[in-house]
Amino acid sequence: MRKFALSDEILLNIEKPARYIGNEVNMVVKDPAKVDIRTVFCFPDVYDIGMSHLGMQILCHQFNLRDDVYCERVFSPWPDLHQIMKEQQIPLFALETQDPIREFDWVLMTLQYEMCYPNILQILDLGQIPLKSCERGESDPIIIGGGPCTYNPEPIADFFDIIYIGEGETVYDELLNLYKRHKKSGHYSRSAFLREVSHIPGLYVPSLYEVKYHEDGTIASFSPLYEDVPRTIQRQVVEDLSALVYPDKPLVPFIKITQDRVVLEIQRGCIRGCRFCQAGMIYRPLRERDLEFLKEKAYAMLMSTGQEEISLSSLSSSDYSQLEELLNYLIDEFKTQHVNISLPSLRIDNFSLDVMSKVQDIKKSSLTFAPEAGSQRLRDVINKGLTEEDILHGAGLAFDGGWQKVKLYFMLGQPTETVEDMQEIAELAEKIAERYYEIPKEQRHGKCQITVSTSFFVPKPFTPFQWTPICTKEDFLERAHIVNESIRSQLNRKSIRYNWHEADVTLIEGILARGDRRLSDALIRVYEKGGIFAAWSDFFEDEMWQEAFRETGIDTDFYTVRKRGEEEVFPWDFIDIGVTKQFLWNEWQKAQRGEVTPNCRQRCSGCGAMKYKGGVCYENTH
């Protein structure tokens, strides 16, 4: 009989107890006594979000293929359980065995968004593990971080023993083997192990580096403490995605999660080169999975889970060269089983709409466009590669095909943005509404519904916009006000709805995105004040963050509104992602001139990603 870390009384008095009991369909069961290394994979957010993350499923599957390793899972307890665990001193536990995570060899965390940083500390605190790596002893687990936020790991560097830079399928086996050798040597030393870890490509050990600052607060130097520790960390990249392991039997939760479907990753990377997009730079070059591989995995996952929907995952699904063949296979193979096919990140054209008519529920849910900017001038600045003609043509095709709802996503506060650019957001929405009402009344499906959503722009590391300041809160809100007033002045305003993101959350995200090691004590202060689940608007409290910054002497303007020069050393400059800093600077200069850079299939722009010897960089060289 399975043991449970929580009593029946606790489980009956918290929200969604199924988040904490494990034992889902396809859960891996091993005898912990028969493995050499116990690891626990953590997503520092609630179960419902974390279980939707494909990377966790891939890495847990990869680890558990090894007979000498058992990889379990842990998520952030929701505030109701958090309080009980603190009051009753119940240690945070893994779902599979319900054992305390402090008893494991490794705790691995994936960091997908900056606002989850206080939850890192929640995991460590509830796990009864010292928050800072310098405070941990020989018996404490090794804490490892990975994911997109680690491309600037410095704000959270003090909390991790190792930070993995790059794609997780590459050097984890080497790291596991090294740890196993150290453990079996009989005289394991945490410091000696970490020193040797630093020699493995892609693995950054923050405690082995020293940062010095100029009087103005900028970085004077970032250097290793020892000669054998590398000065630069090389991002790890998989050249052949079809040679990788991929879960045939994904976990099936007992409760509804955010993405309650089978996920099939069809490619990594992107050819588009949008200048605001970090993912488009850090995952270069575009690499596709083989069609037969995808067919095999799609069939296996749907059969092993009983799921009724499969999502084709990528940054830009339309750029997958064999998309039509894959979709035809899925439609033909699963048409009798009523499997719905989800196609995020599609460019709306004749082919896409024809496909969606075949694969989506006949209800015709809303279509999504992401112009990101209202005017063509600003779309050229950000290198979006989407014209107004493309948008109106796509919307027209959708309306003619029976759709009536359109979602439009924009960003406010991007470099060079003018009042006219903001007003053109409303004008573009109006033109789309006008296109709908060109359809004869008897052929329409009710009123047209256009939802305009604006987020506020955050400059991210390893993008051409990493040099630009971020707007102030007042400036962001003024821009949203301009868009709102412009929409209210449109003829078809009753068909257009407008909502915008929280400006104060955006500014905190901006501080954390480009911050340095001096932020770690402020993050601890935020956690101590109760700042968990900051990514959730119900729990975010701006004043809590501002207090923490004041108490730890942080000048927030230094990280937000300050201009940066070409020669400034950034906290993340020690990482080599393949794309060169010179390329990013050149793109920043082109952005200010409004010049467009062709996508990778049109012409190579010499970004540096060709060093990885694969993907789109080599498509036309054979």
Side-chain angles (χ1 to χ4, degrees), residues 34 58 93 130 137 166 176 196 259 262 320 332 415 444 461 479 548:
K34 293 182 179 178
I58 291 174
F93 52 90
L176 285 162
E196 200 167 340
Q259 304 291 332
V262 162
Y320 179 63
D332 294 341
R444 296 179 205 152
R479 290 167 195 247

Side-chain angles (χ1 to χ4, degrees), residues 63 96 138 161 315 332 354 442 481 514 526 543 553 559:
F63 277 40
E96 278 74 0
E138 298 297 319
D161 300 302
L315 291 173
D332 294 341
D354 180 54
E442 63 276 9
H481 175 74
R514 294 191 294 181
V526 169
E543 184 51 35
Y559 299 101

Side-chain angles (χ1 to χ4, degrees), residues 70 193 249 283 315 382 417 468 595 617:
Y70 190 11
F193 168 67
K249 297 179 178 180
Y283 295 128
L315 291 173
I382 65 176
E417 185 178 57
T468 191
E595 294 178 17
C617 303

Side-chain angles (χ1 to χ4, degrees), residues 136-349:
R136 294 177 197 135
E138 298 297 319
S139 62
D140 288 313
I142 298 291
I143 311 300
I144 305 173
C149 286
T150 60
Y151 286 89
N152 176 21
E154 291 308 277
I156 39 91
D158 286 348
F159 311 137
F160 289 92
D161 300 302
I162 302 168
I163 291 176
Y164 189 119
I165 308 294
E167 295 171 345
E169 297 96 337
T170 53
V171 299
Y172 266 126
D173 279 327
E174 189 176 347
L175 182 60
L176 285 162
N177 293 337
L178 174 64
Y179 183 77
K180 192 171 166 181
R181 286 199 304 274
H182 271 259
K183 276 292 189 181
K184 290 198 168 182
S185 68
H187 44 82
Y188 170 77
S189 158
R190 188 184 193 91
S191 59
F193 168 67
L194 292 175
R195 181 83 168 264
E196 200 167 340
V197 164
S198 72
H199 302 159
I200 299 177
L203 299 185
Y204 168 48
V205 180
S207 61
L208 300 180
Y209 293 79
E210 179 183 37
V211 190
K212 293 181 180 177
Y213 301 92
H214 293 297
E215 283 190 19
D216 65 358
T218 58
I219 293 175
S221 64
F222 183 97
S223 53
L225 295 172
Y226 307 100
E227 288 187 4
D228 63 321
V229 175
R231 301 191 72 85
T232 302
I233 306 297
Q234 302 289 333
R235 165 184 163 238
Q236 295 304 289
V237 175
V238 175
E239 290 177 16
D240 182 5
L241 292 183
S242 300
L244 298 177
V245 299
Y246 199 90
D248 293 308
K249 297 179 178 180
L251 286 155
V252 183
F254 292 128
I255 61 172
K256 187 170 179 59
I257 59 174
T258 309
Q259 304 291 332
D260 206 0
R261 58 183 72 102
V262 162
V263 180
L264 186 66
E265 183 190 39
I266 60 177
Q267 60 188 12
R268 277 185 203 168
C270 186
I271 61 172
R272 297 288 159 185
C274 298
R275 292 176 178 136
F276 58 83
C277 181
Q278 185 185 52
M281 297 296 167
I282 63 175
Y283 295 128
R284 286 189 175 205
L286 175 82
R287 290 145 291 150
E288 297 188 343
R289 290 191 191 270
D290 178 72
L291 179 62
E292 293 308 312
F293 175 96
L294 293 174
K295 288 180 180 179
E296 177 189 323
K297 294 301 176 183
Y299 183 86
M301 289 191 294
L302 287 166
M303 292 301 100
S304 68
T305 61
Q307 292 278 20
E308 297 176 338
E309 183 170 352
I310 184 168
S311 176
L312 305 187
S313 170
S314 79
L315 291 173
S316 180
S317 302
S318 299
D319 293 325
Y320 179 63
S321 61
Q322 295 180 288
L323 183 63
E324 187 170 2
E325 295 91 327
L326 176 60
L327 289 170
N328 287 336
Y329 165 78
L330 293 172
I331 291 167
D332 294 341
E333 188 70 29
F334 300 107
K335 59 187 173 187
T336 59
Q337 297 168 46
H338 307 290
V339 171
N340 194 35
I341 302 168
S342 172
L343 290 158
S345 309
L346 271 186
R347 297 174 88 79
I348 306 301
D349 54 21

Side-chain angles (χ1 to χ4, degrees), residues 15 31 48 51 134 140 199 243 254 275 310 339 463 554 620:
E15 190 178 333
D31 182 350
D48 319 36
M51 277 298 292
C134 63
D140 288 313
H199 302 159
F254 292 128
R275 292 176 178 136
I310 184 168
V339 171
T463 67
I554 296 296
N620 300 315

Side-chain angles (χ1 to χ4, degrees), residues 555-566:
D555 174 11
T556 55
D557 286 354
F558 177 82
Y559 299 101
T560 53
V561 299
R562 178 178 62 88
K563 290 184 178 179
R564 291 150 174 81
E566 182 179 4

